[in-house]
Amino acid sequence: MIGGLHDVLMPAGAQAQAILALWHWLLPICTLVFVAIMAALWLAVRRAPRVAQDDTPDVSSLFEREPKVTRTVWIAVAVSTVLLLALLAASVFTDRAIARLPLANALHIELTGYQWWWAVRYDDADPSRIFTTANELHVPVGRPVIVSLAGADVIHSFWVPSLHGKKDLIPGRDATVSFRADRPGIYRGQCAEYCGYQHAHMVLYVVADAPDVYERWAAQQRKPAVAPVNDEQARGRDLFVAKSCAMCHAINGTSAQARNAPDLTHVASRMTIGAGTLENSVSARAAWILDPQQFKPGAKMPGENLAPEELAALNAYLGSLS
Amino acid sequence: MKGGRGSVVFVAALAALAACQREARDFDAPTKSVTAPPVRMSAIQPGAISTRTTLEHNYEENAYALSEGKRLFGWYNCNGCHANGGGDKGPALMDNVWVYGSDPANIYATIAEGRPNGMPSFGGHIPDNEVWELVAYVRSLSGLASSGAAPSRADEMHVKEPESQTDRQTPVVAAPSGASERP
Amino acid sequence: MSADAGSVSAAGVPLERSQRARRKRADAVAGSGEVLRDGAGWGSRAALALDHTWRDESGFIGWLRTNDHKRIGKRFVVTAFLFFCAAGILAAVMRMQLASPDNHVVGPDFYDQLFTMHGTTMMFIFAVPIMQGMGVYLVPLMVGTRNTAFPRMTACAYWLYLLGALSLWFGFAINTGADAGWFAYVPLAGPQYGIGKRADVWNNLINLTEAMGLMVAVDIATVILKMRAPGMSLRRMPLFVWASLVASMMIIFAMPSVMLAANLAQFDRTFSTHFFNPAEGGDVLIWQHLFWFFGHPEVYFIFIPALGFVSTIIPTFARRPMFGHSAVVLSLIATGFLAFGLWVHHMFATNLPELGKSFFTAMSFMIAIPTAAQIFCWIATLWTGRISLRVPLLFVLGFFAILVLGGLTGIMVGAVPFDLQVHDSYFVVAHLHYVLIGGAVFPLFGAFFYWFPKFTGRMLDERLGRWQFWLFFVGFNVAFFPMHMLGLQGMPRRIYTYGAETGWGTLNLIATIGAVVIAASVLLFVVNFVRSLAKGALAGDNPWGAGTLEWATHSPPPAFNFVALPVVASREPLWVREADEPTHVSGLSAQTREGLVTTVLDALPDVRYSYPSPTVWPFIAAVTVVIWLFWSNITPSGMYYGLIPPAIAFVAWYWPSRKETAEELLLQRRP
C-alpha cells in the first residue's frame, strides 16, 4: 500500500504548522462558546416552569422594560464580539506568518494540472539543469519551495495537507504557493477542486529528503533514460516507440518526445502510476497498460492490446527506467 | 386528453433516444489494434473493389466521442498539416471535397493506412476506438456530424466557428483526373 | 334600498348623470343593484357572498386557474418537499458508494451527476422555494389580508418552477443530468469541457428557478409593505413577516447575478461568445464572483425565513412575546445587508490578493454578531418564559444545537489560513450541512408541526413527531460529525471513491449509517403526514394559543382568509385586545375580490384594491417560456421565434375584461 502523511493536524512544514497554531485558537474558543450557549439553553429550558399549551400568555413585556435580561444579553453580545475580534486577529497574524516564509535559496517548481495528472517541472537558472517529471515532487528538507501553478484545461487545486493549505490552478491565471518541509517523509496530496470524471484519482506525492539525498535524486532525474541492458528491454523500448505509447508519452534519450501525458523518463523511480491510482509494481503496470479504464474510467489513456511477451518486454523496459 | 398524453410520451421517448446516443460516455470501448481492411474507391487503386466495411463505432451522434476526437486531433498534431480544418500542407477538411471518400470507413482507412503525398499511416500508433473518434470529428469539421453532439467552441484563441455551428458541406469526391463524381 | 340604488351612492351622495348610466350598465352586468359588503360575522349573507366570490371553480380547471395564495403556497411546499426526498435518495446512493474504499456501486460519470443533482435540487428546487412557499401561504394571513399582491405572477412562478425542476430531472433520467457540480464552475461546465447538453440543462434550470424566486419575492415584499392590516405598523409586524421581507429584498438583489452568470455561460456554449475564455480576453474567475455574489446570500434566503419560524415558535411555546423584538428585527436587517459582503470567502483558494481576502474574513466574522444577538434573545425568551415542550419547540431546540455548531465551524472556515486547509474538503461538507439542515430543515419541520393544523385543520401526531425528531437529531450527528474529522484528514469533496491506504473508510462507514437513520426519520414524517391528514385530531382555530393573526380565522382558512379584515393594536394581536380600539374593517365588497392597501410605515388605510381574477394564462405563459428556453438551446433562431408564444400569452394575461372593469367602476367613490 502506498503510504503518505495527509493530515491537517499533523504538520510537517512551516506553513501547515502556522495554520495548526490558528486551529489551536479556533477550536478551544469555538468549543467554549458552543458549550456556553448550550449550557444557557439547557438551563433556560430546565428552570422555566412547565405549563399547558392554553396557559394565558404573559404580555407584560409589551408594556414594561426588562432591564436585567437586557443587560445580560448586551454583555453576551459584547463578549461574543470580543472573542470574534480575538479570532480575527489570530487569523490575520497567521496570514502574515504564512506570507513571511523566508524564501532565500528557494527551489522553483512549475506545477501544471491536467485532467487528471500533474506535470512537474523543476526550474533552474541554468537550462541544462531543468528537468520534468510527473505526479511526484521531491524536495529537500529545510529549503523553501516556490511552486508556480498553472491550469492547463480546467480548475485544479494543489493541496498537501501536512505541508500547506491549498491553492487553485486556474486557467488563464498565475498563482504561486510557497512551503517548506521541515521533516523528511512522504506527504500525500490530492487535487481539491472538482475537475471531471477522475478528480478522485489525481493524487500527488511530496517526498521530503535530506538535502544530499535530494541532490542525488535530482541528478538522476536530469539524466536521459537508462539504456536497455538486454534484448527484452531493447524490444520493450522499440515497442514503446512503435506502438501508441510514444504518441503521448516522452522518454528522454529516445525518439519519444510527446508532451501530452506524464513524462516516463524515470518512471520506475516513482511510487505510483496513474497519479496515485496504483502502486508502481510489475503486475500493476501490466494491468494498467492493458486497460487503464478498469482502474481509472474516463482517463485519457487508451488501452493497448499487446501479446503477453510484448507486454512483458515493455514492462521490463519501463521497470528499468529508474 | 388521451391524444395529448400520448404525444407527450412520444416526444419524451424521442428525446430520450436522442439523448442516449448523444450523452453516453463509453469508457469501455475495446481498444484492439487497428486492422484496417482495404476499402477501394475506384478502379484507379490497385486491388479489387470491395464493398464498404461495416462501422465498428458510429460516433457521429455521440458528444463524448466527438469531443475526444477533437482533443486527439490536437494531441496527435493533425493540425500540423490540416490546420484547424482549413488545410495547409494537407488538404482542407472543412470543405466538401473528399479525395479518398467521406464515408466513415473511408476516413478510417485514410487515417490507418496513410495516403500518397504526405498523410502518414497511423495504423499501429493509434488504438482502434481513437481512430473512430477521429473519424467522427473529421466528419464534424465539415458539418456532417450531428450538430447537437458536435463540439462547441474551444477554450482557445478563436480560429474558426465551432463544429456545432458549421453548415453541412455535402461531400463531392474529386477523382485524380479532376472530374467530379458523387459517391 | 334597491329602488334608490341607481341615483345615490351607498354613502347617500347623489350621483352624476354619467355615473348613473355607468351604474346602470354595471347593474346589468352584476345582476343586482345591491352591493354586499363585508364586516358582518361568520354565517352572515356577506360571509356567504365572500365565499362565493373567492372560492375557485371546482375540478381541474379551477385548480389550474387558481389565484389563491394558500393553494399556491401549499403547491410550493409539497413540490419542494417531494424533491427534497428525491435529492435525499441521491445522497443515500452517494453514501452507499462512499461507505467503503474502492467501491463499485456507481461509476465516476454517474457519481458526478449524483452530487450535482443532489446539490442543485436541494439548493434551487427545495430550500429556497419551500421557504418562499411557506411565505406565500403564511404572510397574507399573518398581515391580515386576503391574498398576495400579484397572485397571477405567483401562480406563473409556480409553473415555471415546476417545469424547471421537471426539466432538470427529466434530463437526469435521460443521461443528460447536470454533472459539473451545483456551482457549475467554468471551464468544466464551459463549451469545451462541458460535453453534451448537460450544462445547458443546468443553465435553463437556473433561469427558471431564479425567475420564480424573483417573482415570488416581489409579490411577498409588496404584500408586506403595502397590504398589512390597518394598525399593523412596522413596529407591530410579526417576526416571520420581517424575515420574509428581508429574504425577499435579498432575493431581488442577488438572483439577477446568477441568472446573468448562467446566461453568459449559455451564450459561451451556444453562440461562441468568450466571456469565460482567457485566450480571447475573458476570465474564468468572473464566473465564481458572479455565482457566489448570489450564492452566499442564497444560503441566507434559506436561513432567514427559518429564523422567522424560530422567532414565531419560541414565543408561542414560552407563552410570552419575544424578548428584544426590536433587536431581532435589526439583527435580521443587518444580516441581510452583511450577507452581500461575504462572497469571496468561497474563493479563498484562488489567486486573489491576500489583503482583500482578509476583509472578507472580517465580514464573515461580523455577520456572526447579529446572529448571536438573535440567539441570546431567544434564550432570554425561553429563560423568562413558561414552557410547553411540544414537538415544534423540540425541533427548535435541535436547531439551536446543530446551527450553533455549524455557525462556529463557519467562523473557523471564515479564517483564510484555516480555510486554505479545509476548503473543498469534507470539513466544509460537514459545516454546510450543519448550518443548512440545522439552520433550515430543523426549523422547517418545527414549522410543519406548528402550522399543519392551520393548513389542514388537523394535528400531526406528537409521538411520531418525537420519534422523528430524535431519529433525525441522532442520525444527523452520526452522519455529519465524522465528516469534520475526514476533512482534517485530507479527504477532498466530490470524489467518487478513495483508496484503502487513506484510512478514510471507518468514518465514511459511520457517516453512511447516519444517513440511513436520517432516511428513516424522514419516512416517519411522511407516515405521520399521511395518517394525520386522514385521521389526525381536529385542531380548531388556535390549538397552540398563539398570538399572530393567522390563528384568528378557521383551520384551514376559508378562501377569503378573514370574514372581516382585522385591525391590529399590538404586536401580539390575539394576546392583547385593547378595549376601545376597532377590531375589524368593514365595507369592502363581498361580491368582487377586494382588498385594502395601507401605508408603508403605519399601515393606515390608503386605497381599495381589486384583485385580478383567476385565469389560466399564467400557466400557459409559463409553458411558453419554458419552450422558448429549450428551443433556444437547440438552435439560435429559437431565441427569436420562440418569443412569439410567450408574447401572446402575456398579452392575453393582461388583457382587461369588461366585466371586471364594470365591477370596479361600480365600486369607485369620489374622495
Side-chain angles (χ1 to χ4, degrees):
Chain A
M1 279 298 167
I2 317 129
L5 188 61
H6 54 92
D7 199 321
V8 173
L9 302 179
M10 291 167 59
Q15 311 289 53
Q17 189 69 51
I19 296 173
L20 187 69
L22 179 61
W23 170 249
H24 287 148
W25 280 88
L26 289 169
L27 183 63
I29 292 182
C30 292
T31 308
L32 185 70
V33 170
F34 179 71
V35 168
I37 295 181
M38 288 301 108
L41 182 68
W42 185 72
L43 272 174
V45 172
R46 258 200 68 118
R47 67 187 289 281
R50 293 288 188 274
V51 297
Q53 193 61 41
D54 54 6
D55 182 76
T56 312
D58 172 16
V59 295
S60 56
S61 65
L62 291 178
F63 309 104
E64 297 159 5
R65 296 183 177 284
E66 298 172 89
K68 271 184 69 179
V69 190
T70 310
R71 200 171 48 229
T72 313
V73 169
W74 270 113
I75 291 174
V77 172
V79 169
S80 311
T81 309
V82 167
L83 288 174
L84 278 172
L85 286 172
L87 290 176
L88 180 62
S91 170
V92 170
F93 280 121
T94 311
D95 260 334
R96 281 177 43 155
I98 290 175
R100 288 176 169 198
L101 181 75
L103 294 176
N105 191 27
L107 191 63
H108 287 263
I109 295 179
E110 194 182 282
L111 189 69
T112 308
Y114 293 88
Q115 281 181 322
W116 292 281
W117 59 283
W118 305 90
V120 182
R121 183 167 170 274
Y122 282 71
D123 266 330
D124 200 297
D126 176 359
S128 66
R129 292 170 58 84
I130 295 175
F131 63 92
T132 305
T133 179
N135 298 326
E136 202 171 287
L137 264 70
H138 285 239
V139 297
V141 169
R143 198 171 147 201
V145 179
I146 301 177
V147 186
S148 325
L149 303 170
D153 37 31
V154 297
I155 303 178
H156 300 277
S157 193
F158 169 67
W159 184 35
V160 185
S162 285
L163 291 177
H164 194 9
K166 61 182 61 68
K167 199 73 172 235
D168 284 353
L169 286 71
I170 301 178
R173 289 186 156 249
D174 299 320
T176 317
V177 69
S178 315
F179 66 89
R180 188 184 71 213
D182 290 330
R183 280 207 309 281
I186 300 174
Y187 306 111
R188 186 179 183 281
Q190 196 164 342
C191 173
E193 182 63 57
Y194 174 53
C195 51
Y197 308 123
Q198 285 301 333
H199 168 60
H201 286 130
M202 193 170 160
V203 173
L204 177 74
Y205 283 93
V206 177
V207 180
D209 290 318
D212 53 331
V213 177
Y214 165 75
E215 286 302 332
R216 273 205 300 281
W217 175 85
Q220 177 66 19
Q221 295 286 317
R222 287 189 193 103
K223 294 192 192 127
V226 171
V229 299
N230 58 34
D231 285 341
E232 194 188 26
Q233 290 181 3
R235 173 141 165 72
R237 181 191 57 191
D238 295 339
L239 280 168
F240 188 90
V241 170
K243 292 281 181 182
S244 55
C245 318
M247 297 291 286
C248 296
H249 289 283
I251 295 182
N252 290 334
T254 69
S255 60
Q257 292 298 313
R259 304 263 164 230
N260 295 316
D263 188 301
L264 297 181
T265 311
H266 299 281
V267 62
S269 71
R270 301 209 274 260
M271 299 186 299
T272 65
I273 53 172
T277 307
L278 295 170
E279 59 185 4
N280 192 359
S281 68
V282 172
S283 55
R285 274 199 306 267
W288 175 259
I289 294 169
L290 277 182
D291 186 13
Q293 301 293 320
Q294 66 168 304
F295 303 106
K296 201 167 172 181
K300 314 273 187 191
M301 175 167 162
E304 183 69 62
N305 215 337
L306 294 168
E309 46 91 22
E310 291 180 321
L311 183 60
L314 182 60
N315 210 346
Y317 175 60
L318 292 172
S320 75
L321 297 177
S322 54
Chain B
M1 290 302 282
K2 200 165 167 212
R5 246 206 314 267
S7 62
V8 165
V9 169
F10 178 66
V11 168
L14 268 185
L17 208 56
C20 276
Q21 287 173 319
R22 186 183 64 235
E23 297 289 344
R25 274 102 165 124
D26 185 11
F27 300 144
D28 289 327
T31 58
K32 65 174 179 34
S33 298
V34 165
T35 50
V39 177
R40 302 290 177 240
M41 282 297 302
S42 70
I44 306 175
Q45 291 167 297
I49 293 176
S50 56
T51 53
R52 295 196 188 105
T53 59
T54 54
L55 293 179
E56 285 285 341
H57 302 281
N58 181 6
Y59 281 142
E60 279 166 37
E61 316 262 322
N62 185 266
Y64 177 69
L66 285 164
S67 158
E68 289 288 279
K70 182 164 181 160
R71 166 178 73 84
L72 294 169
F73 196 87
W75 277 26
Y76 296 154
N77 201 26
C78 311
N79 286 325
C81 293
H82 293 287
N84 284 286
D88 184 13
K89 296 191 287 292
L93 299 175
M94 55 173 33
D95 59 3
N96 61 358
V97 175
W98 296 82
V99 179
Y100 297 104
S102 67
D103 273 1
N106 296 143
I107 303 174
Y108 178 96
T110 300
I111 297 174
E113 298 170 357
R115 290 288 178 249
N117 296 325
M119 175 66 187
S121 158
F122 287 99
H125 294 283
I126 304 181
D128 191 58
N129 70 315
E130 288 194 343
V131 177
W132 285 111
E133 286 169 351
L134 282 164
V135 165
Y137 177 68
V138 165
R139 279 177 60 87
S140 80
L141 280 172
S142 60
L144 299 179
S146 152
S147 67
S152 303
R153 71 142 177 87
D155 285 335
E156 287 155 13
M157 281 176 57
H158 185 70
V159 293
K160 68 177 181 72
E161 64 181 358
E163 294 78 11
S164 57
Q165 289 172 251
T166 303
D167 294 327
R168 185 185 167 88
Q169 308 291 324
T170 311
V172 168
V173 172
S177 65
S180 302
E181 59 181 83
R182 285 192 176 272
Chain C
M1 279 295 145
S2 15
D4 288 341
S7 50
V8 295
S9 73
V13 175
L15 293 172
E16 297 290 326
R17 253 174 180 251
S18 56
Q19 269 192 312
R20 198 185 308 160
R22 240 191 290 152
R23 172 70 75 84
K24 239 184 167 165
R25 272 205 307 276
D27 280 354
V29 167
S32 115
E34 185 180 8
V35 179
L36 274 173
R37 299 183 183 281
D38 72 352
W42 296 100
S44 64
R45 281 184 65 215
L48 289 171
L50 274 175
D51 189 61
H52 177 75
T53 307
W54 284 88
R55 181 177 290 281
D56 292 318
E57 294 171 8
S58 56
F60 179 67
I61 268 294
W63 182 84
L64 207 58
R65 297 174 60 195
T66 186
N67 261 356
D68 184 348
H69 73 99
K70 298 182 290 299
R71 292 183 89 177
I72 298 173
K74 276 191 289 190
R75 263 176 222 179
F76 270 109
V77 173
V78 169
T79 308
F81 190 79
L82 287 173
F83 278 105
F84 169 72
C85 296
I89 292 172
L90 297 183
V93 176
M94 284 161 58
R95 286 294 349 146
M96 292 302 151
Q97 166 65 14
L98 290 175
S100 59
D102 291 318
N103 214 352
H104 295 288
V105 174
V106 297
D109 183 34
F110 191 63
Y111 189 87
D112 294 344
Q113 289 182 67
L114 280 178
F115 69 72
T116 306
M117 291 294 298
H118 170 77
T120 307
T121 304
M122 285 298 190
M123 293 300 279
F124 294 114
I125 300 178
F126 159 66
V128 175
I130 208 168
M131 295 301 176
Q132 289 192 300
M134 294 291 277
V136 165
Y137 189 106
L138 289 169
V139 165
L141 286 164
M142 275 191 173
V143 300
T145 187
R146 291 224 160 98
N147 204 343
T148 54
F150 307 118
R152 289 186 182 181
M153 187 163 76
T154 301
C156 182
Y158 174 75
W159 297 115
L160 286 173
Y161 157 66
L162 179 68
L163 290 169
L166 287 176
S167 72
L168 179 77
W169 278 77
F170 179 65
F172 181 52
I174 59 173
N175 201 18
T176 317
D179 67 348
W182 85 277
F183 48 92
Y185 277 1
V186 294
L188 190 62
Q192 182 171 354
Y193 298 101
I195 300 165
K197 298 281 179 208
R198 293 174 173 181
D200 302 303
V201 169
W202 188 90
N203 286 326
N204 282 340
L205 173 86
I206 296 301
N207 272 317
L208 292 169
T209 51
E210 306 315 277
M212 172 275 287
L214 271 172
M215 290 157 91
V216 175
V218 167
D219 194 9
I220 292 180
T222 311
V223 166
I224 293 174
L225 291 174
K226 290 298 291 179
M227 301 183 81
R228 302 195 300 280
M232 186 183 280
S233 64
L234 287 178
R235 298 190 62 224
R236 292 177 183 161
M237 222 162 69
L239 289 167
F240 177 69
V241 178
W242 272 111
S244 290
L245 178 65
V246 170
S248 298
M249 297 304 289
M250 288 176 69
I251 289 175
I252 292 169
F253 281 100
M255 288 258 177
S257 181
V258 74
M259 281 180 91
L260 177 68
N263 282 309
L264 293 180
Q266 196 56 30
F267 287 165
D268 269 21
R269 291 176 61 85
T270 317
F271 304 128
S272 298
T273 52
H274 297 281
F275 292 108
F276 304 113
N277 183 5
E280 285 285 347
D283 184 12
V284 166
L285 207 60
I286 193 70
W287 168 269
Q288 299 190 27
H289 280 295
L290 286 172
F291 183 83
W292 290 116
F293 184 77
F294 151 82
H296 189 80
E298 193 208 15
V299 307
Y300 287 92
F301 315 153
I302 299 168
F303 183 50
I304 286 180
L307 299 180
F309 293 151
V310 173
S311 295
T312 312
I313 291 173
I314 286 185
T316 306
F317 292 88
R319 309 311 293 158
R320 58 151 291 168
M322 176 67 73
F323 170 83
H325 181 110
S326 309
V328 173
V329 170
L330 290 171
S331 298
L332 285 170
I333 297 174
T335 307
F337 275 100
L338 286 172
F340 280 91
L342 306 189
W343 82 92
V344 174
H345 71 210
H346 299 271
M347 299 160 65
F348 279 158
T350 61
N351 72 336
L352 293 172
E354 296 299 325
L355 186 59
K357 291 182 199 169
S358 299
F359 281 124
F360 286 90
T361 294
M363 292 286 277
S364 305
F365 283 16
M366 210 153 89
I367 204 171
I369 299 173
T371 311
Q374 290 184 65
I375 292 176
F376 300 140
C377 288
W378 289 324
I379 295 180
T381 310
L382 288 168
W383 190 288
T384 55
R386 300 194 306 279
I387 290 181
S388 159
L389 192 54
R390 304 285 294 275
V391 172
L393 188 64
L394 203 56
F395 274 103
V396 164
L397 296 176
F399 149 84
F400 271 108
I402 298 180
L403 173 84
V404 171
L405 199 149
L408 290 167
T409 56
I411 294 294
M412 293 177 182
V413 299
V416 173
F418 186 67
D419 187 60
L420 290 180
Q421 283 281 31
V422 296
H423 168 70
D424 254 328
S425 76
Y426 264 76
F427 193 92
V428 176
V429 175
H431 159 69
L432 76 91
H433 285 91
Y434 267 82
V435 287
L436 282 174
I437 297 186
V441 179
F442 270 79
L444 190 65
F445 277 118
F448 286 159
F449 276 85
Y450 185 63
W451 275 297
F452 182 86
K454 179 54 59 180
F455 281 39
T456 63
R458 292 180 183 275
M459 307 289 288
L460 279 170
D461 186 76
E462 282 274 316
R463 233 188 78 205
L464 279 180
R466 284 173 198 276
W467 270 95
Q468 176 205 344
F469 169 77
W470 285 109
L471 274 178
F472 196 19
F473 188 82
V474 169
F476 173 81
N477 282 294
V478 169
F480 289 99
F481 196 81
M483 294 187 186
H484 293 110
M485 275 88 99
L486 279 172
L488 291 172
Q489 287 176 17
M491 182 173 178
R493 291 173 80 169
R494 303 177 183 122
I495 55 174
Y496 77 102
T497 189
Y498 52 91
E501 74 276 5
T502 56
W504 296 330
T506 314
L507 289 175
N508 269 296
L509 184 60
I510 295 173
T512 303
I513 293 171
V516 173
V517 177
I518 293 176
S521 79
V522 175
L523 186 63
L524 210 55
F525 176 76
V526 173
V527 165
N528 194 353
F529 181 85
V530 169
R531 272 180 46 175
S532 303
L533 210 52
K535 301 187 303 194
L538 287 175
D541 284 5
N542 193 356
W544 308 115
T548 41
L549 278 178
E550 75 272 24
W551 304 102
T553 184
H554 291 335
S555 305
F560 50 87
N561 287 358
F562 299 97
V563 71
L565 296 186
V567 171
V568 163
S570 80
R571 264 179 197 161
E572 305 282 355
L574 269 60
W575 285 356
V576 176
R577 290 189 196 274
E578 300 291 327
D580 47 0
E581 297 271 352
T583 57
H584 62 271
V585 173
S586 64
L588 293 175
S589 168
Q591 285 155 317
T592 64
R593 295 184 172 212
E594 255 205 330
L596 194 61
V597 171
T598 54
T599 59
V600 174
L601 292 179
D602 289 311
L604 301 169
D606 194 6
V607 295
R608 286 170 26 224
Y609 172 63
S610 270
Y611 287 98
S613 57
T615 166
V616 76
W617 288 106
F619 170 70
I620 296 177
V623 171
T624 53
V625 165
V626 174
I627 292 174
W628 166 58
L629 265 180
F630 282 94
W631 192 351
S632 59
N633 270 347
I634 298 170
T635 159
S637 60
M639 281 280 290
Y640 322 118
Y641 297 124
L643 274 175
I644 298 174
I648 297 172
F650 279 106
V651 167
W653 171 333
Y654 283 104
W655 201 267
S657 114
R658 286 186 193 277
K659 178 163 175 284
E660 282 174 28
T661 312
E663 284 170 352
E664 286 171 35
L665 288 174
L666 189 67
L667 294 165
Q668 274 183 8
R669 294 290 173 265
R670 256 181 303 161

